[in-house]
Amino acid sequence: MRMPGLHVFLQAVVALVALCALPAHAEIVAASGSSGARAVVGAGTRVAIDWRVQVAGTQPDRSLAVISSEAFITLEGDVNDPVSIRVGQPLKRLLPPTAAPATQTAVFREQLGVPAPIADLALATGLRIFVVREFRDQETATPVVAMAQIPLGGGNSARLSVSRIVLRFPDGASDKILARHARSHVLAEIRYTGAGRLHAVWEIAEPASTAGEPMFRTLSSVHRNLVRGSRELLLRSPGLPSGMEGLHLLRLRLIDPDAARAVIIRYAVNAAMPSAPEPARLIAHAPAAGAVYRADLGFHWSPVENAAVYQIEFFTREAGDIGDRLPELGGTGVGDHEPASTPAEERYPDAGIMVTAISTRASLSRLTLSQLTPGRVYDWRVTAYDAQGRLIGASALRGLAIPP
C-alpha cells in the first residue's frame, strides 16, 4: 500500500539535509571549463572556452563577485612549467544576493589564442593542452582551479616518420683521414614527414674493436622536437675522438621513431697527417652579451679566413658546467666570458644554426627556436670550420635570454 504522506515527508527531509549541507555564507564550491574547439598543428588557433563556477550558501545583504585575474595555456595543466603562457583578460561576474541557502552558477565565455609552437610541442611530446584559471570570490582568498582541455586537430597532425638519413663530413666526403688529435665533426642530413619528438644517439667504435666485431659506446644523445613546416633537419655530431690511430666508426642510431635504424660513417686517424692549426679568435658583433631574444634579433660576426661553414651553437647555462667543458677559444668582448680549462672533448650543443661561409649573418629559425626553452638563459658562440671539417675559429661565449 502506498503512503503519500510518508513519501512527501521523506522528500522534505532530503531537501532539508541538502540545504543544511550548503555553506552558511556564499562561497565557490566547484568550477569547470569546456571547449569544443581544437588547436591546429602548425598554426595559431582562436578557441572559445566556457567556464562554469558554482556558488553555494547565503549572501543576503549584497551581491557576490566571482573573479579570475588571468588564464594560462599549459601542457598537462602545470602552470609552473616553463612552457606555460599567461593569456586572457580578467573575468568578473556579480551574482545577486540570496537570503535563503541556494546554489547559483556564474557562466563566462572567452576567446583565447593557442600559439602554434604550443600545438606543435604537444604533438611532438604527446602531452595535452589545457587552459587553466583560478576563480575566487571577494569573501575568501582560497581559489578554486578550473581546467579546459584543448584537443589537437587539423593541420599536419601526422606522427613523425624519418625517410632518409645521410652522414657526411662538412666538405661532403663520406670518409676521412684525420691527424692525431685533430678536431672535426660529422653532419647528419635527416629528411622526415609529420611532426614529433626525435630521439637518437651518436655512438663511436674505436680501433680496438673495428678490426673485428665493432663495439660502440655512446658519445651523446639527441632530442629534437620536429615541427610542421620543416622537412629537413641538419644535426652536428660531437667532436670526433682522434687520439688513437686506426679505423673509427661513427654511428647515428635512432631510438624514436624507427628504433632499429642506424647509419654509419668511417674515418681513420693517422699520426703522419699534419695537425690543424690552433683555432683563431672569431669576433661576434651581435647580439650583445646578456641580450633578450626578440623576433627581429640577428646574429653577426667577422669572417674567418678559409672558413667553409659557420655554426652558431647554443648551450644551456649551468653554473660550473659550460665554462668547465668548452675549450678556451675566442675574444673577450664586453660581457663575454671564457671557460676555465680546455678539456679533451667539447660539450654537445642544445641547438645550432649552420651557415655557409658566404654569409656572416643569421637569425633564429622557427625550428631552432623550438629547441630553446622559454624562461632559460643560454650561452652561445659562433664557430668556423674549414672544408676538411676542422675547427679553425670560435668566438667567446655570450648569454642570450629566451623570454617566457
Side-chain angles (χ1 to χ4, degrees):
M1 178 182 297
R2 296 187 60 186
M3 301 179 65
L6 179 59
H7 181 69
V8 172
F9 172 74
L10 290 175
Q11 285 184 321
V13 169
V14 171
L16 180 61
V17 170
L19 288 175
C20 291
L22 294 176
H25 300 284
E27 62 183 40
I28 298 174
V29 294
S32 62
S34 62
S35 177
R38 292 179 177 268
V40 177
V41 176
T45 311
R46 297 290 294 178
V47 297
I49 302 175
D50 293 316
W51 304 101
R52 300 179 66 85
V53 183
Q54 288 188 329
V55 176
T58 60
Q59 188 81 11
D61 53 348
R62 63 183 183 276
S63 300
L64 180 73
V66 177
I67 56 177
S68 175
S69 58
E70 58 194 1
F72 292 88
I73 295 177
T74 73
L75 295 180
E76 294 300 325
D78 183 3
V79 297
N80 295 315
D81 190 285
V83 177
S84 66
I85 300 174
R86 183 180 288 108
V87 295
Q89 300 296 319
L91 302 180
K92 182 178 181 179
R93 186 80 76 239
L94 291 176
L95 295 178
T98 173
T103 298
Q104 301 185 77
T105 301
V107 178
F108 305 87
R109 165 163 278 214
E110 65 176 336
Q111 296 272 344
L112 297 175
V114 178
I118 290 289
D120 293 340
L121 186 58
L123 176 64
T125 59
L127 301 177
R128 297 171 296 174
I129 301 174
F130 286 91
V131 179
V132 181
R133 272 193 179 274
E134 291 183 344
F135 291 92
R136 54 171 49 88
D137 58 69
Q138 78 266 30
E139 302 295 331
T140 59
T142 304
V144 175
V145 177
M147 296 193 299
Q149 183 181 351
I150 311 298
L152 292 178
N156 184 357
S157 55
R159 290 294 177 181
L160 176 66
S161 176
V162 174
S163 57
R164 183 170 181 262
I165 304 176
V166 175
L167 299 185
R168 63 174 176 83
F169 288 88
D171 62 353
S174 57
D175 54 44
K176 185 72 65 177
I177 298 177
L178 300 178
R180 195 172 182 186
H181 302 303
R183 290 175 174 173
S184 189
H185 66 279
V186 165
L187 300 175
E189 297 176 346
I190 300 176
R191 292 183 182 177
Y192 65 92
T193 58
R197 185 171 180 80
L198 175 74
H199 182 195
V201 288
W202 289 103
E203 299 172 320
I204 191 73
E206 294 172 296
S209 71
T210 53
E213 183 68 25
M215 297 183 63
F216 289 89
R217 64 178 177 88
T218 299
L219 289 178
S220 68
S221 295
V222 178
H223 298 272
R224 292 289 187 273
N225 293 320
L226 304 184
V227 299
R228 179 182 179 269
S230 298
R231 288 295 173 266
E232 294 187 358
L233 173 67
L234 187 65
L235 292 179
R236 198 202 78 165
S237 75
L240 300 179
S242 58
M244 186 182 305
E245 286 192 79
L247 177 65
H248 296 66
L249 301 179
L250 179 72
R251 179 169 74 180
L252 180 63
R253 179 169 58 88
L254 295 186
I255 296 176
D256 186 26
D258 225 354
R261 193 166 184 178
V263 182
I264 294 176
I265 193 170
R266 61 171 55 200
Y267 67 96
V269 175
N270 187 345
M273 289 284 292
S275 299
E278 282 298 308
R281 182 178 70 177
L282 189 156
I283 304 298
H285 300 296
V292 177
Y293 173 77
R294 60 183 188 276
D296 62 347
L297 186 73
F299 293 81
H300 179 213
W301 58 93
S302 294
V304 174
E305 187 177 1
N306 297 323
V309 66
Y310 298 105
Q311 178 159 306
I312 307 174
E313 302 171 335
F314 297 89
F315 306 86
T316 302
R317 176 174 289 183
E318 299 173 4
D321 189 8
I322 293 292
D324 293 342
R325 298 180 63 186
L326 284 173
E328 189 169 352
L329 299 171
T332 55
V334 177
D336 295 351
H337 60 283
E338 298 283 352
S341 60
T342 306
E345 207 167 288
E346 298 182 28
R347 179 179 181 179
Y348 188 76
D350 296 277
I353 306 170
M354 195 74 68
V355 182
T356 59
I358 61 174
S359 177
T360 56
R361 294 179 182 271
S363 57
L364 289 186
S365 67
R366 179 181 164 193
L367 178 61
T368 302
L369 188 60
S370 72
Q371 314 302 325
L372 305 178
T373 303
R376 288 188 180 175
V377 176
Y378 288 84
D379 282 315
W380 66 273
R381 67 173 187 170
V382 182
T383 53
Y385 296 88
D386 65 13
Q388 285 71 48
R390 298 175 299 184
L391 178 67
I392 60 173
S395 68
L397 293 169
R398 289 185 176 180
L400 177 68
I402 307 299

